[in-house]
């Protein structure tokens, strides 16, 4: 016989629906919109006006109220500061400079010029303005008097005038209707076409033979007078005392 406690036929399984004991909130079935706050409020319910708290205003360093953290000095009483009078020593202030009025010798009335004495009008020559470029008014040279000779005299009657024109190229007696070419329209034929052709020679550039292109000194580059050898006294060879003299055999 088993010692385990019999718990029946029930075994752990997945619940068919949500269980309220498994959640700390009102439950998953509570899906209505909230009636608190301004965001996501229930549209079917009345929503009261919402107000927000403002930020704290900036306080000046010199506050009008001492506050609870105000430390009263020990020498301060209800009638003022207690103690003997204290004095501080400051430097001597600078003297205020008095207004210096100029004397009669500081004035120069002779330099006043036209501001103090009557003078003749003075005119200055200025440069031409920019508006003058757009001025289209004709100058004196654009006008001309009527001529006194010819057919265009205003107050006199003119005789008939005749003009001579050039010869017309159309309808005249020398008009070339057949378009016959002149002697200059024919091309000059080369005599080599119908005669014996002479030999032809062409002029080519000069051919330089290959050679040594190195720069060689000329006769003027040499200075033989700088290399003259001077004769001098030379010392002989020192011989050893143990060297035998050279004995030459006499010829018989």
């Amino acid at each position: 016989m088993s010692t385990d406690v019999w718990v029946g036929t029930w075994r752990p399984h997945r619940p068919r629906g949500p269980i309220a004991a498994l959640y700390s909130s009102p439950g998953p079935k509570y899906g209505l919109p909230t009636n608190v706050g301004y965001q996501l409020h229930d549209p079917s319910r009345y929503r009261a006006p919402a107000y927000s708290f403002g930020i704290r205003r900036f306080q000046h360093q010199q506050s009008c109220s001492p506050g609870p953290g105000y430390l009263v000095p020990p020498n301060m009483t209800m009638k003022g500061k207690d103690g003997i009078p204290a004095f501080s020593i400051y430097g001597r202030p600078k003297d205020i400079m008095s207004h210096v009025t100029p004397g009669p010798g500081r004035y120069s009335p002779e330099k006043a010029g036209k501001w103090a004495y009557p003078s003749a009008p003075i005119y200055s020559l200025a440069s031409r303005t920019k508006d003058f470029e757009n001025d289209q008014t004709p100058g004196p040279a654009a006008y001309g008097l009527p001529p006194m000779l010819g057919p265009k005299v205003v107050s006199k009657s003119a005789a008939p005038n005749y003009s001579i024109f050039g010869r017309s190229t159309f309808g005249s007696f020398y008009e070339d209707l057949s378009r016959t070419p002149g002697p200059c329209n024919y091309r000059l034929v080369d005599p080599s076409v119908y005669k014996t052709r002479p030999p032809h020679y062409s002029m080519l550039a000069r051919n330089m033979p290959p050679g040594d292109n190195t720069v060689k000194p000329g006769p003027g580059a040499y200075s033989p007078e700088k290399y003259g050898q001077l004769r001098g006294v030379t010392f002989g060879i020192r011989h050893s005392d143990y060297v035998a003299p050279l004995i030459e055999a006499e010829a018989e």
Side-chain angles (χ1 to χ4, degrees):
M1 185 177 179
S2 177
T3 58
D4 298 336
V5 180
W6 185 77
V7 294
T9 60
W10 180 86
R11 295 292 182 272
H13 61 280
R14 180 176 295 179
R16 296 180 179 178
I19 302 175
L22 299 178
Y23 303 93
S24 58
S25 61
K29 64 180 180 180
Y30 184 76
L32 298 177
T34 179
N35 293 332
V36 181
Y38 186 83
Q39 301 291 339
L40 302 178
H41 193 273
D42 189 359
S44 62
R45 302 292 180 179
Y46 176 75
R47 184 177 62 185
Y51 303 97
S52 59
F53 293 94
I55 60 175
R56 180 176 296 177
R57 296 183 177 274
F58 177 75
Q59 296 181 358
H60 298 280
Q61 295 181 359
Q62 298 178 358
S63 179
C64 58
S65 174
Y70 182 72
L71 180 61
V72 181
N75 58 347
M76 184 64 64
T77 63
M78 61 180 299
K79 294 183 180 181
K81 189 176 181 181
D82 185 17
I84 59 177
F87 302 95
S88 58
I89 301 175
Y90 293 95
R92 179 177 296 178
K94 296 182 179 180
D95 297 336
I96 300 176
M97 298 181 62
S98 59
H99 180 67
V100 181
T101 304
R106 298 295 299 273
Y107 297 97
S108 300
E110 66 277 1
K111 297 181 180 180
K114 62 180 180 179
W115 305 109
Y117 301 99
S119 59
I122 300 174
Y123 304 96
S124 60
L125 295 176
S127 59
R128 182 174 295 179
T129 59
K130 296 181 179 179
D131 299 335
F132 188 78
E133 297 178 357
N134 299 327
D135 190 7
Q136 303 296 331
T137 304
Y143 299 96
L145 297 176
M148 301 303 294
L149 299 176
K152 296 182 179 181
V153 180
V154 178
S155 60
K156 296 181 180 180
S157 59
N161 298 329
Y162 302 97
S163 60
I164 301 175
F165 293 94
R167 183 177 294 176
S168 177
T169 57
F170 300 97
S172 61
F173 62 93
Y174 69 95
E175 181 182 0
D176 189 6
L177 301 178
S178 60
R179 302 292 180 182
T180 305
C184 296
N185 291 337
Y186 295 96
R187 183 176 58 87
L188 182 62
V189 181
D190 190 5
S192 301
V193 176
Y194 54 89
K195 291 184 178 181
T196 304
R197 179 177 295 177
H200 294 270
Y201 303 96
S202 60
M203 300 180 65
L204 301 178
R206 180 179 295 177
N207 297 328
M208 300 300 294
D212 189 6
N213 296 328
T214 58
V215 180
K216 300 177 178 60
Y222 297 96
S223 301
E225 64 278 0
K226 296 182 180 180
Y227 300 96
Q229 296 181 359
L230 300 179
R231 295 183 180 182
V233 181
T234 59
F235 295 91
I237 303 175
R238 177 178 294 179
H239 299 280
S240 176
D241 298 339
Y242 302 97
V243 177
L246 181 61
I247 302 174
E248 296 181 358
E250 296 179 0
E252 296 179 356

